[in-house]
Amino acid sequence: MYGYNRQDQLPVRSAPASRPIKRHHTARYYAHRVRESLTTRLSKIICTIFLGLVLIMGLVAFILWLGLRPHRPRIHIHDFSLPGLGQETGFENAQIAFNVTVRNSNQNIGIYYGDMDGSVYYKDQKIGSTPLHPQFYQEPKSTIVMATVLSGATLTVNSQRWREFMNDRTKGTVIFRLQLTSTIRFKIYTWVSRHHPMHADCDVSVGPNGLILQTSKDHRCLAYFF
Ligand SMILES: *[C@@H]1O[C@H](CO)[C@@H](O)[C@H](O)[C@H]1NC(C)=O
């Protein structure tokens, strides 16, 4: 009976006999899971710290960039004149005088300019060109005046072109384009950028008296650098 009982119980015991194995498995499983969740938590924390650092560094870089972002030079045209525009034979000693200012509006960035040239275009054809300034360095927040006169060898205006001017003049305006070309390098503290070719275009209208029209005076020229 007892034996039977034991034998009876055996199957009962043997049925949960699979349980200890399961329990053992579960314990290992939990240990594994605990270890796993620890590493997950650790890697999550590391990830969070890392992402936080990246974010902060990005923010700092963005703020620095905002503060140090180089602005192109600001170029304004103040004067442009063609004396003798009203005279039939004006081309014989034609002159073009202009006055532009070049401003470095950056707070902390200096600009090194290569040799700067000025050219005058009429209907997209170059009619004159001259060196404006040899290479120079421009301090932050400073302005330089460039004023010159094109004539003789630096200005090629024949009688036919002059007639075109005269023709435009009877309509009220003669339109020219003044172009400044140079190369620029930005200086940020001790670091100096590579050379960037730069050019600025100023559209300018001249009235019948040969003087710049109010609509063009003190206008900002479009400046590009690459
Ligand atoms: C050129 O224009 C600037 C700004 O208007 C002026 O201060 C300067 O005296 C002018 N220079 C010449 C030579 O006309």
Side-chain angles (χ1 to χ4, degrees), residues 76-79 98-101 143 145-148 217-218:
H76 287 86
I77 184 155
H78 300 290
D79 262 315
F98 62 80
N99 177 349
V100 291
T101 53
T143 306
V145 177
M146 308 232 173
T148 194
K217 202 168 169 64
D218 303 327

Side-chain angles (χ1 to χ4, degrees), residues 7 14 26 31-32 48 51 53 59 71-72 89 94 108 116 118 135 147 157 160 171 177 188 196 203 208 212 219 222:
Q7 270 215 322
S14 79
T26 312
H32 186 64
T48 310
L51 283 180
L53 278 179
L59 213 66
H71 292 286
R72 60 195 126 178
T89 56
N108 299 303
M116 191 176 281
Q135 58 184 67
V157 179
Q160 199 211 323
K171 294 175 195 154
R177 180 161 56 91
I188 303 174
H196 298 275
D203 286 320
I212 190 170
H219 251 231
L222 291 171

Side-chain angles (χ1 to χ4, degrees), residues 38 52 69 84 100 183:
L38 265 177
R69 182 176 43 144
V100 291
T183 57

